[in-house]
Amino acid sequence: TVFLNSAVVTSDTAAKVGPGFLQCIMISMADAAPTAGTVAILDHTAAGGGTTIFSHTFTTAVFMPFQICPQQAFTAGLYIDVTTSADINVSVSYR
């Protein structure tokens, strides 16, 4: 049996420290007017370093929720780096 953990965040968060496996990322708007910025999922334990697993740039345009499933192992940890103003929900599933 494979157990998945999940985290839903709106700002920078270390979701996991240590090796693991990233299953899926789901991104949605948290309010009606998103702020321009980026969301990056890093193989690291802090912002500004490590290997980028996924990165997406947002404008102020309204968008539909979307999901991407990179199915990728990470070694250092799983860090969610968000540069918007807490108006984007980022959900990751990992083990």
Side-chain angles (χ1 to χ4, degrees):
T1 304
V2 175
F3 294 100
L4 292 178
N5 297 299
S6 65
V8 178
V9 302
T10 58
S11 60
D12 289 4
T13 303
K16 179 175 177 18
V17 175
F21 186 82
L22 175 60
Q23 182 77 23
C24 291
I25 305 159
M26 187 163 156
I27 299 175
S28 62
M29 293 187 338
D31 62 28
T35 305
T38 61
V39 171
I41 309 299
L42 307 173
D43 182 354
H44 203 51
T45 56
T51 302
T52 300
I53 298 171
F54 171 80
S55 180
H56 187 76
T57 301
F58 296 92
T59 66
T60 57
V62 173
F63 66 92
M64 294 297 293
F66 64 94
Q67 177 175 300
I68 180 172
C69 296
Q71 305 282 311
Q72 183 169 338
F74 53 88
T75 56
L78 189 60
Y79 191 84
I80 304 165
D81 190 6
V82 181
T83 65
T84 65
S85 299
D87 54 9
I88 303 289
N89 293 320
V90 181
S91 175
V92 293
S93 58
Y94 61 92
R95 57 182 160 93

Coordinates of all heavy atoms in Angstrom, one line a residue:
T1 N 0.8 -1.2 0.0 CA 0.0 0.0 0.0 C 0.9 1.2 0.0 O 1.8 1.3 0.8 CB -0.9 0.0 1.2 OG1 -1.7 -1.2 1.3 CG2 -1.8 1.2 1.2
V2 N 0.5 2.2 -0.9 CA 1.3 3.4 -0.9 C 0.4 4.5 -0.3 O -0.7 4.7 -0.6 CB 1.5 3.8 -2.4 CG1 2.2 5.2 -2.5 CG2 2.4 2.8 -3.1
F3 N 1.0 5.2 0.7 CA 0.3 6.3 1.4 C 0.8 7.6 0.9 O 2.0 7.8 0.8 CB 0.5 6.2 2.9 CG -0.1 5.0 3.5 CD1 0.7 3.8 3.8 CD2 -1.4 4.9 3.8 CE1 0.2 2.7 4.4 CE2 -2.0 3.8 4.4 CZ -1.2 2.7 4.6
L4 N -0.1 8.5 0.5 CA 0.2 9.8 0.0 C -0.1 10.8 1.1 O -1.1 10.7 1.8 CB -0.5 10.1 -1.2 CG -0.2 9.4 -2.5 CD1 -1.1 9.8 -3.6 CD2 1.2 9.6 -2.9
N5 N 0.8 11.8 1.2 CA 0.6 13.0 2.0 C 0.2 14.1 1.1 O 0.4 14.1 -0.1 CB 1.8 13.3 2.8 CG 2.3 12.3 3.7 OD1 1.5 11.9 4.6 ND2 3.4 11.7 3.5
S6 N -0.5 15.1 1.7 CA -0.8 16.3 0.9 C -0.7 17.5 1.7 O -0.7 17.5 2.9 CB -2.2 16.1 0.3 OG -3.2 16.2 1.3
A7 N -0.5 18.6 1.0 CA -0.4 19.9 1.6 C -1.1 20.9 0.7 O -0.9 20.9 -0.5 CB 1.1 20.3 1.8
V8 N -1.9 21.8 1.2 CA -2.5 22.9 0.5 C -1.9 24.2 1.1 O -2.1 24.4 2.3 CB -4.0 22.9 0.6 CG1 -4.6 24.1 -0.2 CG2 -4.5 21.6 0.0
V9 N -1.3 25.0 0.3 CA -0.6 26.2 0.8 C -0.9 27.4 -0.1 O -1.3 27.3 -1.2 CB 0.9 26.0 0.9 CG1 1.3 24.9 1.8 CG2 1.6 25.9 -0.4
T10 N -0.7 28.6 0.5 CA -0.9 29.9 -0.3 C 0.4 30.7 -0.2 O 0.5 31.8 -0.8 CB -2.0 30.7 0.2 OG1 -1.8 31.0 1.6 CG2 -3.4 30.0 0.0
S11 N 1.4 30.2 0.5 CA 2.7 30.9 0.6 C 3.8 29.9 0.8 O 3.6 28.7 0.8 CB 2.7 31.8 1.9 OG 2.5 31.1 3.0
D12 N 5.1 30.4 0.8 CA 6.2 29.5 0.9 C 6.1 28.5 2.0 O 5.8 28.9 3.1 CB 7.5 30.4 1.1 CG 7.9 31.2 -0.1 OD1 7.2 31.2 -1.1 OD2 9.0 31.8 0.0
T13 N 6.4 27.3 1.7 CA 6.2 26.2 2.6 C 7.2 25.0 2.3 O 7.3 24.6 1.2 CB 4.8 25.6 2.6 OG1 3.9 26.6 2.9 CG2 4.6 24.5 3.6
A14 N 7.9 24.5 3.3 CA 8.6 23.3 3.2 C 7.6 22.1 3.5 O 7.2 21.9 4.7 CB 9.8 23.2 4.2
A15 N 7.1 21.5 2.5 CA 6.1 20.4 2.6 C 6.7 19.1 3.2 O 6.1 18.4 3.9 CB 5.5 20.1 1.3
K16 N 8.0 18.9 2.8 CA 8.6 17.6 3.3 C 10.1 17.9 3.3 O 10.7 18.5 2.4 CB 8.3 16.5 2.4 CG 8.9 15.1 2.8 CD 8.5 14.0 2.0 CE 9.1 12.6 2.2 NZ 9.8 12.4 3.4
V17 N 10.8 17.3 4.4 CA 12.2 17.3 4.4 C 12.7 15.9 4.2 O 12.2 15.0 4.8 CB 12.7 17.9 5.8 CG1 14.2 17.8 5.9 CG2 12.3 19.3 6.0
G18 N 13.7 15.7 3.4 CA 14.2 14.4 3.1 C 13.6 13.9 1.7 O 12.8 14.5 1.1
P19 N 14.1 12.7 1.3 CA 13.7 12.2 0.0 C 12.2 11.7 0.0 O 11.6 11.4 1.0 CB 14.6 11.0 -0.2 CG 15.1 10.6 1.2 CD 15.1 11.9 2.0
G20 N 11.7 11.7 -1.2 CA 10.3 11.3 -1.4 C 10.0 11.3 -2.9 O 10.9 11.3 -3.7
F21 N 8.7 11.3 -3.1 CA 8.2 11.2 -4.5 C 7.0 12.1 -4.7 O 6.0 12.0 -4.0 CB 7.8 9.7 -4.8 CG 7.4 9.5 -6.2 CD1 8.4 9.2 -7.2 CD2 6.1 9.5 -6.6 CE1 8.0 9.0 -8.5 CE2 5.7 9.2 -7.9 CZ 6.7 9.0 -8.9
L22 N 7.1 13.0 -5.6 CA 6.1 14.0 -5.9 C 5.1 13.3 -6.9 O 5.4 13.0 -8.0 CB 6.6 15.3 -6.5 CG 5.6 16.3 -7.0 CD1 4.7 16.8 -5.8 CD2 6.3 17.5 -7.6
Q23 N 3.8 13.2 -6.4 CA 2.8 12.6 -7.3 C 2.2 13.7 -8.2 O 2.4 13.7 -9.4 CB 1.7 12.0 -6.4 CG 0.6 11.3 -7.1 CD 1.0 10.0 -7.6 OE1 1.9 9.4 -7.1 NE2 0.3 9.5 -8.6
C24 N 1.4 14.6 -7.6 CA 0.7 15.6 -8.4 C 0.7 17.0 -7.8 O 0.9 17.1 -6.5 CB -0.8 15.2 -8.6 SG -1.0 13.8 -9.7
I25 N 0.5 18.0 -8.6 CA 0.4 19.4 -8.2 C -0.9 20.0 -8.7 O -1.2 19.8 -9.9 CB 1.6 20.3 -8.7 CG1 2.9 19.7 -8.4 CG2 1.5 21.7 -8.3 CD1 4.0 20.1 -9.3
M26 N -1.7 20.6 -7.9 CA -2.9 21.2 -8.3 C -2.9 22.7 -7.9 O -2.6 23.0 -6.8 CB -4.2 20.5 -7.7 CG -5.4 21.0 -8.3 SD -6.7 19.8 -7.8 CE -8.1 20.7 -7.9
I27 N -3.2 23.6 -8.9 CA -3.2 25.0 -8.6 C -4.5 25.6 -9.0 O -5.1 25.3 -10.0 CB -2.0 25.7 -9.4 CG1 -0.7 25.0 -9.0 CG2 -2.0 27.2 -9.2 CD1 0.5 25.5 -9.8
S28 N -5.0 26.4 -8.0 CA -6.3 27.1 -8.3 C -6.2 28.5 -7.7 O -5.3 28.9 -6.9 CB -7.4 26.3 -7.6 OG -7.3 26.3 -6.2
M29 N -7.2 29.4 -8.0 CA -7.3 30.7 -7.5 C -7.9 30.7 -6.1 O -8.8 29.9 -5.9 CB -8.1 31.6 -8.4 CG -7.4 31.8 -9.7 SD -8.3 33.1 -10.8 CE -9.9 33.2 -10.2
A30 N -7.4 31.5 -5.2 CA -7.9 31.6 -3.9 C -8.9 32.8 -3.7 O -9.6 32.9 -2.8 CB -6.8 31.7 -2.8
D31 N -8.8 33.7 -4.7 CA -9.8 34.8 -4.7 C -10.0 35.2 -6.2 O -9.6 34.6 -7.1 CB -9.3 36.0 -3.9 CG -8.0 36.6 -4.4 OD1 -7.6 36.5 -5.6 OD2 -7.2 37.2 -3.6
A32 N -10.8 36.3 -6.4 CA -11.2 36.6 -7.8 C -10.2 37.3 -8.6 O -10.3 37.4 -9.8 CB -12.5 37.5 -7.7
A33 N -9.1 37.8 -8.0 CA -8.1 38.6 -8.7 C -6.7 38.2 -8.3 O -6.1 38.7 -7.4 CB -8.3 40.1 -8.4
P34 N -6.2 37.2 -9.0 CA -4.8 36.8 -8.7 C -3.8 37.8 -8.9 O -3.9 38.7 -9.8 CB -4.6 35.6 -9.6 CG -5.5 35.8 -10.8 CD -6.7 36.5 -10.2
T35 N -2.7 37.8 -8.2 CA -1.6 38.7 -8.3 C -0.6 38.1 -9.2 O -0.3 36.9 -9.1 CB -1.0 39.0 -6.9 OG1 -2.0 39.5 -6.1 CG2 0.1 40.0 -7.0
A36 N 0.1 38.8 -10.1 CA 1.1 38.3 -10.9 C 2.2 37.7 -10.1 O 2.6 38.3 -9.0 CB 1.6 39.3 -11.9
G37 N 2.8 36.6 -10.5 CA 3.9 36.0 -9.8 C 4.2 34.6 -10.3 O 3.7 34.2 -11.3
T38 N 4.9 33.8 -9.5 CA 5.2 32.5 -9.8 C 5.0 31.5 -8.7 O 5.0 31.9 -7.5 CB 6.7 32.4 -10.3 OG1 7.5 32.7 -9.1 CG2 7.1 33.2 -11.4
V39 N 4.9 30.3 -9.1 CA 4.9 29.2 -8.1 C 5.9 28.2 -8.6 O 6.0 27.8 -9.8 CB 3.5 28.4 -8.1 CG1 3.6 27.2 -7.3 CG2 2.5 29.4 -7.5
A40 N 6.9 27.8 -7.7 CA 7.9 26.9 -8.1 C 7.9 25.7 -7.1 O 7.8 26.0 -5.9 CB 9.3 27.5 -8.2
I41 N 8.0 24.5 -7.5 CA 8.1 23.4 -6.7 C 9.6 22.9 -6.8 O 10.1 22.6 -7.9 CB 7.2 22.2 -7.1 CG1 5.8 22.7 -7.3 CG2 7.3 21.0 -6.1 CD1 5.1 23.3 -6.1
L42 N 10.3 22.9 -5.6 CA 11.7 22.7 -5.6 C 12.1 21.4 -4.9 O 11.5 21.1 -3.9 CB 12.4 23.9 -4.9 CG 12.1 25.3 -5.4 CD1 12.7 26.3 -4.5 CD2 12.6 25.5 -6.9
D43 N 13.2 20.8 -5.3 CA 13.8 19.7 -4.6 C 14.8 20.4 -3.7 O 16.0 20.5 -4.0 CB 14.5 18.7 -5.6 CG 15.1 17.5 -4.8 OD1 15.1 17.5 -3.6 OD2 15.6 16.6 -5.5
H44 N 14.3 20.9 -2.5 CA 15.1 21.6 -1.6 C 14.4 21.8 -0.3 O 13.2 21.5 -0.3 CB 15.5 23.0 -2.2 CG 16.7 23.6 -1.6 ND1 17.9 23.0 -1.5 CD2 17.0 24.8 -1.1 CE1 18.8 23.8 -1.0 NE2 18.2 24.9 -0.7
T45 N 15.0 22.4 0.7 CA 14.3 22.6 2.0 C 14.0 24.1 2.2 O 13.5 24.4 3.3 CB 15.1 22.0 3.1 OG1 16.4 22.6 3.1 CG2 15.2 20.5 3.0
A46 N 14.4 25.0 1.3 CA 14.2 26.4 1.5 C 14.1 27.0 0.1 O 14.5 26.5 -0.9 CB 15.4 27.0 2.3
A47 N 13.7 28.3 0.1 CA 13.6 29.0 -1.2 C 14.9 29.4 -1.7 O 15.9 29.5 -1.0 CB 12.8 30.3 -0.9
G48 N 15.0 29.5 -3.0 CA 16.2 30.0 -3.7 C 17.3 29.0 -3.9 O 18.4 29.4 -4.3
G49 N 17.0 27.8 -3.9 CA 18.1 26.8 -4.1 C 17.5 25.5 -4.6 O 16.3 25.4 -4.8
G50 N 18.3 24.5 -4.8 CA 17.9 23.2 -5.2 C 17.5 23.1 -6.7 O 17.8 24.0 -7.5
T51 N 16.9 22.0 -7.0 CA 16.5 21.8 -8.4 C 15.0 22.1 -8.5 O 14.2 21.7 -7.7 CB 16.7 20.3 -8.7 OG1 18.1 20.0 -8.5 CG2 16.3 20.0 -10.1
T52 N 14.7 22.8 -9.6 CA 13.3 23.1 -9.9 C 12.6 21.9 -10.5 O 13.0 21.5 -11.6 CB 13.2 24.4 -10.8 OG1 13.8 25.5 -10.1 CG2 11.7 24.7 -11.1
I53 N 11.6 21.4 -9.9 CA 10.8 20.3 -10.4 C 9.7 20.9 -11.3 O 9.4 20.3 -12.4 CB 10.2 19.5 -9.3 CG1 11.3 18.9 -8.4 CG2 9.2 18.4 -9.8 CD1 10.7 18.2 -7.1
F54 N 9.1 22.0 -11.0 CA 8.0 22.6 -11.7 C 8.0 24.1 -11.4 O 8.2 24.5 -10.3 CB 6.7 22.0 -11.4 CG 5.5 22.7 -11.9 CD1 5.1 22.4 -13.2 CD2 4.7 23.6 -11.2 CE1 4.0 23.1 -13.8 CE2 3.6 24.2 -11.7 CZ 3.2 24.0 -13.0
S55 N 7.7 24.9 -12.4 CA 7.5 26.3 -12.2 C 6.5 26.9 -13.2 O 6.4 26.4 -14.3 CB 8.9 27.1 -12.5 OG 8.7 28.4 -12.3
H56 N 5.6 27.8 -12.7 CA 4.6 28.4 -13.5 C 4.5 29.8 -13.2 O 4.5 30.2 -12.0 CB 3.2 27.7 -13.3 CG 2.2 28.1 -14.2 ND1 2.1 27.7 -15.5 CD2 1.1 29.0 -14.0 CE1 1.0 28.3 -16.1 NE2 0.4 29.0 -15.2
T57 N 4.4 30.7 -14.2 CA 4.2 32.1 -14.0 C 2.8 32.5 -14.2 O 2.1 32.1 -15.2 CB 5.1 32.9 -15.0 OG1 6.5 32.5 -14.8 CG2 5.0 34.4 -14.8
F58 N 2.2 33.3 -13.3 CA 0.9 33.8 -13.4 C 0.8 35.3 -13.7 O 1.7 36.1 -13.4 CB 0.1 33.6 -12.0 CG 0.0 32.2 -11.6 CD1 1.0 31.6 -10.9 CD2 -1.1 31.4 -12.1 CE1 0.9 30.3 -10.5 CE2 -1.2 30.1 -11.7 CZ -0.2 29.5 -10.9
T59 N -0.2 35.7 -14.4 CA -0.5 37.1 -14.7 C -1.7 37.4 -13.8 O -2.1 36.6 -12.9 CB -0.9 37.4 -16.1 OG1 -2.1 36.7 -16.4 CG2 0.2 36.9 -17.1
T60 N -2.3 38.6 -14.0 CA -3.5 38.9 -13.2 C -4.8 38.4 -13.8 O -5.9 38.7 -13.3 CB -3.6 40.5 -13.0 OG1 -3.6 41.0 -14.3 CG2 -2.5 41.0 -12.2
A61 N -4.7 37.6 -14.8 CA -5.8 37.0 -15.5 C -6.4 35.9 -14.7 O -5.7 35.1 -14.1 CB -5.4 36.5 -16.9
V62 N -7.7 35.8 -14.7 CA -8.5 34.7 -14.1 C -8.1 33.4 -14.9 O -7.9 33.4 -16.1 CB -10.0 35.0 -14.2 CG1 -10.8 33.8 -13.7 CG2 -10.4 36.2 -13.4
F63 N -8.0 32.3 -14.1 CA -7.6 31.0 -14.8 C -8.4 29.9 -14.1 O -8.9 30.0 -13.0 CB -6.1 30.8 -14.7 CG -5.6 30.5 -13.3 CD1 -5.5 29.3 -12.8 CD2 -5.1 31.6 -12.5 CE1 -5.0 29.1 -11.5 CE2 -4.7 31.4 -11.2 CZ -4.6 30.1 -10.7
M64 N -8.6 28.8 -14.8 CA -9.2 27.6 -14.3 C -8.2 26.8 -13.5 O -7.0 26.8 -13.9 CB -9.7 26.8 -15.5 CG -10.8 27.4 -16.3 SD -12.3 27.7 -15.4 CE -12.9 26.1 -15.0
P65 N -8.7 26.1 -12.5 CA -7.7 25.2 -11.8 C -7.1 24.2 -12.7 O -7.7 23.8 -13.7 CB -8.6 24.5 -10.8 CG -9.9 25.3 -10.7 CD -10.0 26.0 -12.0
F66 N -5.9 23.8 -12.5 CA -5.2 22.8 -13.3 C -4.4 21.9 -12.4 O -4.0 22.3 -11.3 CB -4.4 23.5 -14.4 CG -3.3 24.3 -14.0 CD1 -2.0 23.8 -13.9 CD2 -3.4 25.7 -13.7 CE1 -0.9 24.5 -13.5 CE2 -2.4 26.5 -13.3 CZ -1.1 25.9 -13.2
Q67 N -4.1 20.8 -13.0 CA -3.3 19.8 -12.3 C -2.2 19.3 -13.2 O -2.4 19.1 -14.4 CB -4.2 18.6 -11.8 CG -3.4 17.5 -11.2 CD -4.4 16.4 -10.6 OE1 -5.2 16.7 -9.8 NE2 -4.2 15.2 -11.1
I68 N -1.1 19.0 -12.7 CA 0.1 18.4 -13.4 C 0.6 17.3 -12.5 O 0.7 17.5 -11.3 CB 1.2 19.4 -13.8 CG1 2.3 18.7 -14.5 CG2 1.6 20.2 -12.6 CD1 3.3 19.7 -15.1
C69 N 0.9 16.2 -13.1 CA 1.4 15.0 -12.3 C 2.8 14.7 -12.8 O 3.0 13.8 -13.6 CB 0.5 13.9 -12.4 SG -1.1 14.2 -11.6
P70 N 3.9 15.3 -12.2 CA 5.2 15.0 -12.7 C 5.8 13.6 -12.4 O 6.7 13.2 -13.0 CB 6.1 16.1 -12.1 CG 5.3 16.8 -11.0 CD 3.8 16.4 -11.2
Q71 N 5.2 13.0 -11.3 CA 5.6 11.6 -11.0 C 7.1 11.6 -10.9 O 7.8 10.8 -11.5 CB 5.1 10.6 -12.0 CG 3.7 10.6 -12.3 CD 2.9 9.9 -11.2 OE1 3.2 8.8 -10.8 NE2 1.8 10.6 -10.7
Q72 N 7.7 12.4 -10.0 CA 9.1 12.6 -9.9 C 9.7 12.5 -8.5 O 9.1 13.0 -7.5 CB 9.5 14.0 -10.4 CG 11.0 14.2 -10.5 CD 11.4 15.4 -11.2 OE1 10.6 15.9 -12.1 NE2 12.5 16.0 -11.0
A73 N 10.8 11.7 -8.4 CA 11.4 11.6 -7.1 C 12.2 12.9 -6.7 O 12.6 13.6 -7.6 CB 12.4 10.4 -7.1
F74 N 12.3 13.2 -5.4 CA 13.1 14.3 -5.0 C 14.0 13.8 -3.8 O 13.7 12.8 -3.2 CB 12.3 15.5 -4.5 CG 11.2 15.2 -3.5 CD1 11.5 15.2 -2.2 CD2 9.9 14.9 -3.9 CE1 10.5 14.9 -1.2 CE2 8.9 14.6 -3.0 CZ 9.2 14.6 -1.7
T75 N 15.2 14.4 -3.6 CA 16.1 13.9 -2.7 C 16.3 14.8 -1.4 O 16.4 14.2 -0.3 CB 17.5 13.7 -3.3 OG1 17.9 15.0 -3.8 CG2 17.5 12.7 -4.4
A76 N 16.3 16.1 -1.5 CA 16.6 16.9 -0.4 C 15.3 17.2 0.4 O 15.3 17.3 1.6 CB 17.2 18.3 -0.8
G77 N 14.2 17.4 -0.3 CA 12.9 17.8 0.3 C 12.0 18.4 -0.8 O 12.4 18.4 -1.9
L78 N 10.8 18.8 -0.3 CA 9.8 19.3 -1.2 C 9.5 20.7 -0.7 O 8.9 20.8 0.3 CB 8.6 18.4 -1.3 CG 7.6 18.7 -2.3 CD1 8.2 18.6 -3.7 CD2 6.4 17.8 -2.2
Y79 N 9.9 21.7 -1.5 CA 9.6 23.1 -1.1 C 8.7 23.8 -2.1 O 9.0 23.7 -3.3 CB 10.9 23.9 -0.9 CG 10.8 25.2 -0.3 CD1 10.7 25.3 1.1 CD2 10.5 26.4 -1.0 CE1 10.5 26.5 1.8 CE2 10.3 27.6 -0.4 CZ 10.3 27.7 1.0 OH 10.1 28.9 1.6
I80 N 7.7 24.5 -1.6 CA 6.8 25.2 -2.5 C 7.1 26.7 -2.3 O 7.0 27.2 -1.2 CB 5.3 24.9 -2.1 CG1 5.1 23.4 -2.1 CG2 4.4 25.6 -3.0 CD1 3.8 23.0 -1.4
D81 N 7.6 27.3 -3.4 CA 8.0 28.7 -3.4 C 7.0 29.5 -4.2 O 6.8 29.4 -5.4 CB 9.4 28.8 -4.1 CG 10.0 30.1 -3.9 OD1 9.4 31.0 -3.2 OD2 11.1 30.4 -4.5
V82 N 6.2 30.4 -3.4 CA 5.1 31.1 -4.0 C 5.4 32.6 -3.9 O 5.8 33.1 -2.9 CB 3.8 30.9 -3.2 CG1 2.6 31.6 -3.8 CG2 3.5 29.4 -3.2
T83 N 5.4 33.3 -5.1 CA 5.7 34.7 -5.1 C 4.5 35.6 -5.3 O 4.6 36.8 -5.6 CB 6.8 35.1 -6.1 OG1 6.2 34.8 -7.4 CG2 8.0 34.3 -5.9
T84 N 3.3 35.0 -5.2 CA 2.0 35.8 -5.3 C 1.6 36.2 -3.9 O 2.3 35.9 -3.0 CB 0.9 35.0 -6.0 OG1 0.6 33.9 -5.2 CG2 1.3 34.5 -7.4
S85 N 0.5 37.0 -3.8 CA 0.1 37.5 -2.5 C -1.0 36.6 -1.9 O -2.1 37.1 -1.6 CB -0.5 38.9 -2.7 OG 0.5 39.7 -3.3
A86 N -0.7 35.4 -1.6 CA -1.6 34.5 -1.0 C -3.0 34.3 -1.7 O -4.0 34.1 -1.0 CB -1.8 34.9 0.5
D87 N -3.0 34.5 -3.0 CA -4.2 34.3 -3.7 C -4.2 33.2 -4.7 O -5.1 33.1 -5.5 CB -4.6 35.6 -4.4 CG -3.6 36.2 -5.3 OD1 -2.6 35.5 -5.5 OD2 -3.7 37.3 -5.7
I88 N -3.2 32.3 -4.6 CA -3.1 31.1 -5.4 C -3.1 29.9 -4.4 O -2.2 30.0 -3.5 CB -1.9 31.1 -6.3 CG1 -1.8 32.3 -7.2 CG2 -1.7 29.8 -7.0 CD1 -2.8 32.3 -8.3
N89 N -3.9 28.9 -4.6 CA -3.8 27.7 -3.7 C -3.0 26.7 -4.5 O -3.2 26.5 -5.7 CB -5.2 27.1 -3.6 CG -6.1 27.9 -2.7 OD1 -5.7 28.5 -1.7 ND2 -7.4 28.0 -3.1
V90 N -2.0 26.2 -3.8 CA -1.1 25.1 -4.4 C -1.3 23.9 -3.5 O -1.1 23.9 -2.3 CB 0.3 25.6 -4.4 CG1 1.2 24.5 -5.0 CG2 0.5 26.9 -5.1
S91 N -1.7 22.8 -4.1 CA -1.9 21.5 -3.4 C -0.9 20.5 -4.1 O -0.8 20.4 -5.3 CB -3.3 21.0 -3.6 OG -3.4 19.7 -3.1
V92 N -0.1 19.9 -3.2 CA 0.8 18.8 -3.7 C 0.5 17.5 -3.0 O 0.1 17.5 -1.8 CB 2.3 19.2 -3.4 CG1 2.7 20.4 -4.3 CG2 2.6 19.5 -2.0
S93 N 0.6 16.4 -3.7 CA 0.5 15.1 -3.1 C 1.8 14.4 -3.3 O 2.4 14.5 -4.4 CB -0.7 14.3 -3.8 OG -0.5 14.2 -5.1
Y94 N 2.3 13.8 -2.3 CA 3.6 13.2 -2.3 C 3.7 12.1 -1.3 O 2.8 11.9 -0.4 CB 4.7 14.3 -1.9 CG 4.5 14.9 -0.6 CD1 5.1 14.4 0.6 CD2 3.6 16.0 -0.4 CE1 4.9 14.9 1.8 CE2 3.4 16.5 0.9 CZ 4.0 16.0 2.0 OH 3.8 16.5 3.2
R95 N 4.8 11.3 -1.4 CA 5.0 10.3 -0.4 C 6.5 10.3 -0.1 O 7.3 11.0 -0.7 CB 4.6 8.9 -0.8 CG 5.2 8.4 -2.1 CD 4.7 7.1 -2.5 NE 4.9 6.8 -3.9 CZ 5.9 6.2 -4.4 NH1 6.9 5.7 -3.6 NH2 6.1 6.0 -5.7

